[in-house]
Every structure is written in structure tokens, then in C-alpha cells.
């Protein structure tokens, strides 16, 4: 295994109160020119980033436990990605694959057909964003099945475009006042073990969803089920064991396309190339983005050749999809994932974080607010509940969640939150983060949780 080299010193350093003068000035400039609808959770502006460190324009170094929402798994300036981008850009930045094609696109498709679960014949199409991949997976499923209905789940997140907004569950901030939404989208219950009224097996939770589909939609009308194997924005929800395989088997028996949205969970994030693998699920179509490109915008759908080849020539595409620079970045990022064995690294991160959260929950005793630690690999989270009620009421604790994230940031650690109830602290560190830096970040997180319960 290759050793990870860092360009920036991997050390947290907050020089004083922030945002510093340069960030504050940029923020002022921003206010009159950038639309207010785009919000940033961190008030400083980035100058440089490498490994697990983000350095701002005033010289502060933050520990990055968010990876730009699970994007920079190989780091924000992985040497191989940087070299590949420079080399490709020096030759041609764009010619449009739909006009004059090039090898990089094919090479990425070869990699994805091989890396994704299942050894059946597959085809790939490249796009730019996660939402675009999901939209196209649905286009393919509808055309190939000649059916309209799409099934999505409670707590789902699939994007912000019109069709993907309809698939996304949470109204605020994603959907409120942005309708009308795309038709023929149906929502069914997810398996959310921590919040089930009574314990229910994965197979039973799947059957609950299947019954609803059969009774309310009719299986013969369903083109596709789209599901995140581990839900991201919805709260890092890992369905009960058996849930995903049962749904996938039902889909297969009923001619329904099973689409796994692995935009957030893909590319070593969960300690496997894809989260579907943890339960041996082989999706008909898999959507990918984020980690795939080492930070460059690239997304993809890979799926059964018979489904993807059903589409008429010219039916799929887009100006920038599979841009040559993004393809070069993806090939380099995938090489780095292999060279640094980032699946093993993600598993190691799960162990480090899990042990620390278990110890903290015990230490907090009666004041424990960690309702559950869950997730896989470097896609892990704690769901926070009101103090003293961890085992019983499970009342969501959004206030402390916000306060903890703010306290972490104040100390120089970037931590993201998520969840339908806004009460989940999630950790998505770059997979190349050092143990030392990760532990420093976790020290800060633990202190912030201790302070919140005082
Ligand atoms: N599918 C599973 O996680 C993106 C976006 C957060 P795009 N999630 C983070 C935000 O506030 O916009 C995501 C995802 C899953 C699809 C998407 C959409 O990917 O690249 O943002 O379009």
C-alpha cells in the first residue's frame, strides 16, 4: 500500500477570532452579488486544502470532517488527481463527447462497469451532478419498462432539480415553495431502526413498503424503486439487515428497476466500493457522483446493458457529461483509492469513531444525549436526543446538534449535521485523513458534546 503524502501541515490552527479580515471582506463582496438562496455553513473562505486540512484566506487551518459533503474522499488536492487534471487540461478541456469523443470517457465506463456490484453485462453514461444521474436513471427505467410510477422513501434525498425534488422527502429547505413537483412519484416507509415504534426486522419493514406499493400503486405500474442504501441527508439511516435484499428481490420478481442511489455512499466511503455490497445487493442501475471525481464534477449511471441499451441513440447525453478533465480526475482518483486502500482506511475510521462515541456515551451516563451511533466506514453519525431520554422517548435534540456543530467550528473543526429532524451530527472525513488529525477532531467533538449536556 502506498503511503499518503501531505503538502500542507496536517495540524489544526486557529489564529484568533474568525472570520478574519480577508474572509469578512469577501463576505461583504458576496452579499451584493451572490443570491441569498445559496447559504454556506462555514463563514470563512478557502485558500488551500489538502488531506484533512482546509486553510482559509486569513491563515486559519480547519480540520475537515465533511469533505465538501462526501466529495474529497482522496483529499481536496490529491497529487495524482492534480497531475491528471493538469495534463488533460493542457491538451483539451472539452470537445463534447456527443460531438467528438475521446478515450477518457470509455476508460471511466470500463472502470465503473467493473467496480460496481454484479458481474453481468453493464453499460455506463456520464453526467455532471448527482441529481442529473438520478434523473437519467429514471428516464432509462421508464423507457425500458414502459411504466411511469417511481417509488421513493421517507427521509430520502436525491437532489434539487424538479424531478429529484419530488423524490426528496424533506420540505425545508429543499422543496418549500418550489413546486409544482413532477408527477408519478410515490413515497413509502423506510426502515429506520432507531425510530421504529416497535422493533421490526428488515424483511418486515420491506414487506410494509411492498404492501403499500402493491395496494396504492400496483406493481405493474411501477418503473423503478430508487433508494439510498444508507440514507445521507435524511440522517445517515442504515436500514435493518434484510431490508434492501428483500426490496431488490421483490423488484426483480415484478419487473421493477432497482436503482441504488450511491451518490453519497459510493467510492470507498462506507468501507466498500459501494454500500450495496454490504448486503450483497446487485442494483439494476447505480447512480454515482461526489467521490468519483476527486472534487471535479462528474456523475454516472451504470446498469444492466439491456436497460441502458434500450434507449434510442441520442436519447441520453448533455453538453458537459463526461467532460475530459473530469474523466481524467476520476481515473486518477480511483487509482488513488486503490493505491491507498481507502476501503480499509474507511473501516479503520469507523472503528476509531465508534470506540470514541461508545466511550463518551458511557461517560455521560444519565446525561447521555447520544441516542445512537450508526453508519458504515467513514459515513458515520450520532443521532442526538434530549438528555436522560436516550432509551425511552428519543425526543430529537436539534438544539444541541446545532450548538455542537457551532462549538466544533469555533474550535476549528468542520462538522456537518443532517437528518429529517435536524438532530444528527455526521462525520464524512476525507479518507486520507491521518489518525492523529481525526483524533484531534474527535477530541473537539467530544468536548463540544460534554459542554452541551452541562
Ligand atoms: N443523491 C444520495 O446525497 C447530494 C447535497 C446537499 P448533486 N447530497 C448533498 C445539498 O444541500 O444540496 C445527493 C445525495 C444523494 C443525490 C444527490 C444530489 O447530488 O450532485 O448535489 O446534484
Amino acid at each position: 500500500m502506498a503511503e499518503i503524502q501531505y503538502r500542507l501541515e496536517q495540524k489544526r490552527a486557529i489564529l484568533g477570532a474568525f472570520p478574519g479580515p480577508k474572509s469578512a471582506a469577501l463576505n461583504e463582496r458576496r452579499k451584493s452579488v451572490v443570491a441569498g438562496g445559496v447559504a454556506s455553513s462555514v463563514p470563512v473562505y478557502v485558500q488551500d486544502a489538502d488531506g484533512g486540512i482546509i486553510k482559509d484566506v486569513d491563515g486559519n487551518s480547519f480540520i475537515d470532517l465533511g469533505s465538501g459533503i462526501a466529495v474529497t474522499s482522496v483529499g481536496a488536492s490529491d497529487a495524482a488527481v492534480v497531475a491528471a487534471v493538469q495534463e488533460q487540461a493542457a491538451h483539451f478541456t472539452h470537445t463534447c463527447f456527443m460531438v467528438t469523443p475521446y478515450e477518457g470517457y470509455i476508460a471511466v465506463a470500463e472502470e465503473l462497469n467493473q467496480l460496481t456490484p454484479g458481474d453481468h453485462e453493464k453499460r455506463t453514461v456520464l453526467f455532471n451532478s448527482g441529481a442529473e444521474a438520478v434523473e437519467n436513471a429514471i428516464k432509462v427505467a421508464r423507457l425500458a419498462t414502459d411504466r411511469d410510477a417511481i417509488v421513493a422513501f421517507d427521509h430520502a434525498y436525491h437532489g434539487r432539480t424538479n424531478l429529484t425534488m419530488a423524490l426528496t422527502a424533506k420540505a425545508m429547505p429543499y422543496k418549500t415553495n418550489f413546486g409544482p413537483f413532477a408527477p408519478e412519484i410515490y413515497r413509502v416507509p423506510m426502515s429506520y431502526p432507531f425510530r421504529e415504534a416497535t422493533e421490526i426486522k428488515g424483511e418486515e419493514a420491506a414487506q410494509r413498503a411492498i404492501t403499500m406499493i402493491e395496494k396504492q400503486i400496483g406493481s405493474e405500474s411501477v418503473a423503478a424503486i430508487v433508494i439510498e442504501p444508507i440514507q445521507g441527508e435524511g440522517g445517515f439511516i442504515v436500514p435493518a439487515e434484510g431490508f434492501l435484499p428483500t426490496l431488490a428481490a421483490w423488484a426483480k420478481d415484478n419487473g421493477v428497476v432497482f436503482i441504488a442511489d450511491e451518490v453519497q455512499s459510493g467510492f470507498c466511503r462506507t468501507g466498500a466500493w459501494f454500500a450495496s455490497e454490504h448486503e450483497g445487493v446487485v442494483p439494476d442501475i447505480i447512480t454515482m457522483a461526489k467521490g468519483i471525481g476527486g472534487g471535479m464534477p462528474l456523475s454516472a449511471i451504470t446498469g444492466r446493458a439491456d436497460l441502458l441499451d434500450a434507449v434510442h441513440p441520442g436519447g441520453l447525453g448533455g453538453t458537459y457529461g463526461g467532460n475530459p478533465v473530469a474523466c481524467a480526475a476520476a481515473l486518477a482518483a480511483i487509482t488513488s483509492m486503490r493505491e491507498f486502500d481507502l476501503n480499509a482506511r474507511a473501516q479503520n475510521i469507523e472503528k476509531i469513531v465508534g470506540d470514541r462515541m461508545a466511550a463518551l456515551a458511557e461517560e455521560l451516563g444519565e446525561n447521555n444525549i447520544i441516542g445512537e451511533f450508526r453508519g458504515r466506514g467513514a459515513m458515520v453519525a450520532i443521532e442526538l436526543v434530549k438528555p436522560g431520554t436516550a432509551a425511552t422517548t428519543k425526543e430529537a435534540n436539534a438544539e444541541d446538534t446545532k450548538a455542537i456543530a457551532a462549538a466544533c467550528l469555533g474550535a476549528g473543526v468542520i462538522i456537518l449535521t443532517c437528518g429529517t429532524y435536524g438532530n444528527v451530527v455526521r462525520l464524512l472525513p476525507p479518507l486520507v485523513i491521518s489518525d492523529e488529525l481525526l483524533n484531534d477532531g474527535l477530541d473537539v467533538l467530544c468536548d463540544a458534546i460534554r459542554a452541551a449536556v452541562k
Side-chain angles (χ1 to χ4, degrees), residues 71 73-75 78 80-82 84 104-116 124 126 266-268 273-274 288-295 298-300 302 326-343 431:
V71 172
S73 297
V74 296
D78 174 59
V81 171
V82 172
Y105 193 115
I106 300 170
V108 171
E110 285 167 347
E111 282 280 22
L112 300 186
N113 291 359
Q114 194 255 320
L115 284 174
T116 49
T124 287
L126 303 180
F267 293 96
C268 308
W273 283 98
F274 296 97
M288 296 158 269
K290 293 188 185 278
I292 189 178
L298 186 72
S299 70
T302 297
C327 285
L331 293 169
I334 290 168
T335 302
S336 289
M337 288 173 202
R338 282 199 187 97
E339 274 183 4
F340 300 136
D341 194 0
L342 294 188
N343 281 322
L431 305 179

Side-chain angles (χ1 to χ4, degrees), residues 69 128-132 134 157-161 173-174 228 230 232-233 261-265 287 289-290 299 426:
I69 322 188
N128 306 286
S129 68
E132 213 186 341
V134 174
Y157 184 91
H158 297 290
R160 294 174 180 265
T161 58
Y174 309 120
E228 301 152 83
I230 297 178
E233 305 307 302
D261 181 353
E262 296 240 24
V263 163
Q264 190 154 164
S265 57
T287 61
K290 293 188 185 278
S299 70
R426 59 168 153 173

